[in-house]
Amino acid sequence: MGKINTRIVKINGINPEKELIEEGAKFIRAGKLVAFPTETVYGLGANGLDEAAVEEIFIAKGRPQDNPLILHVSSLEEVKPLVKEISKEAEILMKEFWPGPLTLLFKKSTLVPMIITAGLDTVAIRMPNHPIAIELIKSSGVPIAAPSANTSGKPSPTSAEHVIEDLYGKIHMIMDGGTTGVGLESTVLDLTVETPIILRPGGITLEDLKEILPDVELDAAIIKDDNKLVPKSPGQKYRHYAPKADMFVFVGQVEDIVKAIKERAGQLIEEGKTVGIMATDETEHEYERGVIMSVGSRKNLGTIGQNLFNVIRRFDERKVDIILAEGVESFHIGTAIMNRLKKASGGKIIKV
């Protein structure tokens, strides 16, 4: 594929300009790729019913084709042609959490190309909670297949600058709607099994879902690595969100984490390494050596979710050799944060 003259447009994230939305929709209908903001991260969109267009997503990202994609819709009515049936549980969840960062797995209809589902009989669908995304889907008139708009394996993009860094010259349009809100990809919930199961934690937490589905569970693969896993959801199988540097995540009591990171950083610096320390607002002042960045506040874990991928990219910009990151408690949004840190570090978790 030759280099593309990527069009970058700044677009109002609250009241999107109709002419810019329609320009993007024309690209989608023509089988081209458009990056656009959602409330989670930036997505790389193509016509989800056009197999050739979807294939371009995998090429642009360098994404393995056994990694399924999510279809994005702008209304509940748009789900019906894409699935075999909609259960009562799905209806309740869609009314409660859509638009929002919850992706649901259904049995697919024949309308959905197999390239979307990686050959599986299930399809992942969500309705994003972002005016630009919703208007783009509406104007395109088709469900939009959209993984994160980054090079496969790299930290997900939470700003247009991140998309430009990874995909400029590979896609036709980038819609710059500012930074995203949640900062972590959507929760993926499988409703096609007897016990509903979370395949990927995200902005809608286990605790949120238990209020409606008391028996919902976390997939064991979130807790335990399994390279033989057949991914039913994006983000399950491969190393994701990874910095260029080696990364280690420290978990335990906060004071023990800080002590262990300081000791390890000192050793590495003496060896001539450039060390990045991913701290929090509450602990940042306790570190004296290394490239120190706060990812957010332990009192408001949502801020850590918002900033996580951006901070990982900033460490790459500073060309650190090793990142030592503070872990957080695995409850509510912390479960999703720890899932991303585990993926980013390749599972290098140190208990202190």
Side-chain angles (χ1 to χ4, degrees), residues 40-41 101 153-156 182-188 198-204 222 233-236 238-243 247 249 278 304-305 308-309 312 325 328 330 333-349:
T40 57
V41 299
K154 286 188 65 176
S156 297
V182 178
L184 300 173
E185 301 86 352
S186 62
T187 302
V188 179
I198 296 173
L199 301 179
R200 180 178 72 186
I204 304 299
I222 292 170
S233 159
Q236 270 199 307
Y238 296 95
R239 188 184 182 206
H240 281 265
Y241 327 117
M247 185 175 187
V249 181
M278 185 183 289
I304 295 178
L308 180 62
F309 293 137
I312 291 175
V328 299
S330 290
I333 194 70
T335 302
I337 292 166
M338 284 305 300
N339 171 259
R340 303 316 191 269
L341 286 171
K342 182 179 177 183
K343 290 281 187 183
S345 66
K348 295 191 285 289
I349 307 292

Side-chain angles (χ1 to χ4, degrees), residues 82-85 105-109 121-123 192-193:
L82 305 173
V83 304
K84 284 188 174 179
E85 64 175 348
L105 240 65
F106 301 88
K107 292 292 185 180
K108 70 180 279 301
S109 74
D121 64 353
T122 54
V123 61
T192 67
V193 289

Side-chain angles (χ1 to χ4, degrees), residues 112-134:
V112 178
M114 294 300 277
I115 192 171
I116 293 284
T117 68
L120 300 171
D121 64 353
T122 54
V123 61
I125 302 175
R126 92 173 184 101
M127 187 194 303
N129 188 16
H130 196 292
I132 294 173
I134 289 291

Side-chain angles (χ1 to χ4, degrees), residues 136-204:
L136 179 63
I137 299 164
K138 282 182 183 175
S139 188
S140 299
V142 293
I144 292 182
S148 54
N150 58 320
T151 300
S152 190
K154 286 188 65 176
S156 297
T158 54
S159 71
E161 288 73 22
H162 298 161
V163 182
I164 292 166
E165 179 184 332
D166 283 12
L167 297 178
Y168 186 86
K170 297 180 179 180
I171 66 177
H172 285 79
M173 189 177 193
I174 298 171
M175 292 181 160
D176 181 354
T179 56
T180 60
V182 178
L184 300 173
E185 301 86 352
S186 62
T187 302
V188 179
L189 178 66
D190 187 354
L191 294 175
T192 67
V193 289
E194 188 172 341
T195 300
I197 190 165
I198 296 173
L199 301 179
R200 180 178 72 186
I204 304 299

Side-chain angles (χ1 to χ4, degrees), residues 73-348:
V73 298
S74 62
S75 73
L76 298 182
E77 288 299 310
E78 293 171 29
V79 177
K80 292 179 182 177
L82 305 173
V83 304
K84 284 188 174 179
E85 64 175 348
I86 300 174
S87 67
K88 287 184 179 179
E89 290 82 5
E91 288 182 356
I92 294 169
L93 291 167
M94 289 189 292
K95 287 175 182 174
E96 179 69 24
F97 295 113
W98 282 12
L102 176 65
T103 295
L104 299 177
L105 240 65
F106 301 88
K107 292 292 185 180
K108 70 180 279 301
S109 74
T110 55
L111 186 64
V112 178
M114 294 300 277
I115 192 171
I116 293 284
T117 68
L120 300 171
D121 64 353
T122 54
V123 61
I125 302 175
R126 92 173 184 101
M127 187 194 303
N129 188 16
H130 196 292
I132 294 173
I134 289 291
E135 292 305 317
L136 179 63
I137 299 164
K138 282 182 183 175
S139 188
S140 299
V142 293
I144 292 182
S148 54
N150 58 320
T151 300
S152 190
K154 286 188 65 176
S156 297
T158 54
S159 71
E161 288 73 22
H162 298 161
V163 182
I164 292 166
E165 179 184 332
D166 283 12
L167 297 178
Y168 186 86
K170 297 180 179 180
I171 66 177
H172 285 79
M173 189 177 193
I174 298 171
M175 292 181 160
D176 181 354
T179 56
T180 60
V182 178
L184 300 173
E185 301 86 352
S186 62
T187 302
V188 179
L189 178 66
D190 187 354
L191 294 175
T192 67
V193 289
E194 188 172 341
T195 300
I197 190 165
I198 296 173
L199 301 179
R200 180 178 72 186
I204 304 299
T205 67
L206 173 67
E207 293 81 2
D208 294 330
L209 293 170
K210 274 188 174 295
E211 292 184 15
I212 294 173
L213 300 175
D215 59 341
V216 66
E217 297 177 356
L218 278 174
D219 185 7
I222 292 170
I223 305 159
K224 183 180 179 182
D225 286 323
D226 184 356
N227 290 327
K228 296 177 183 177
L229 182 72
V230 175
K232 296 177 73 176
S233 159
Q236 270 199 307
K237 183 176 179 182
Y238 296 95
R239 188 184 182 206
H240 281 265
Y241 327 117
K244 294 173 184 174
D246 277 340
M247 185 175 187
F248 297 85
V249 181
F250 292 72
V251 296
Q253 296 297 315
V254 176
E255 56 271 21
D256 296 331
I257 291 173
V258 172
K259 182 181 177 182
I261 289 178
K262 287 172 74 172
E263 288 178 0
R264 185 67 181 131
Q267 294 166 1
L268 292 166
I269 290 167
E270 292 301 319
E271 294 171 11
K273 303 288 187 183
T274 303
V275 178
I277 296 176
M278 185 183 289
T280 51
D281 292 351
E282 291 79 10
T283 62
E284 186 178 16
H285 67 281
E286 299 193 41
Y287 299 104
E288 298 168 355
R289 305 174 74 188
V291 178
I292 304 157
M293 297 187 198
S294 173
V295 74
S297 172
R298 290 180 175 275
K299 296 175 183 175
N300 181 1
L301 292 182
T303 61
I304 295 178
Q306 290 168 355
N307 297 324
L308 180 62
F309 293 137
N310 184 52
V311 169
I312 291 175
R313 284 179 178 261
R314 285 170 60 199
F315 279 126
D316 278 348
E317 290 170 7
R318 296 290 296 271
K319 294 182 169 56
V320 301
D321 299 307
I322 293 174
I323 300 170
L324 306 179
E326 295 181 7
V328 299
E329 291 186 69
S330 290
F331 68 96
H332 291 286
I333 194 70
T335 302
I337 292 166
M338 284 305 300
N339 171 259
R340 303 316 191 269
L341 286 171
K342 182 179 177 183
K343 290 281 187 183
S345 66
K348 295 191 285 289

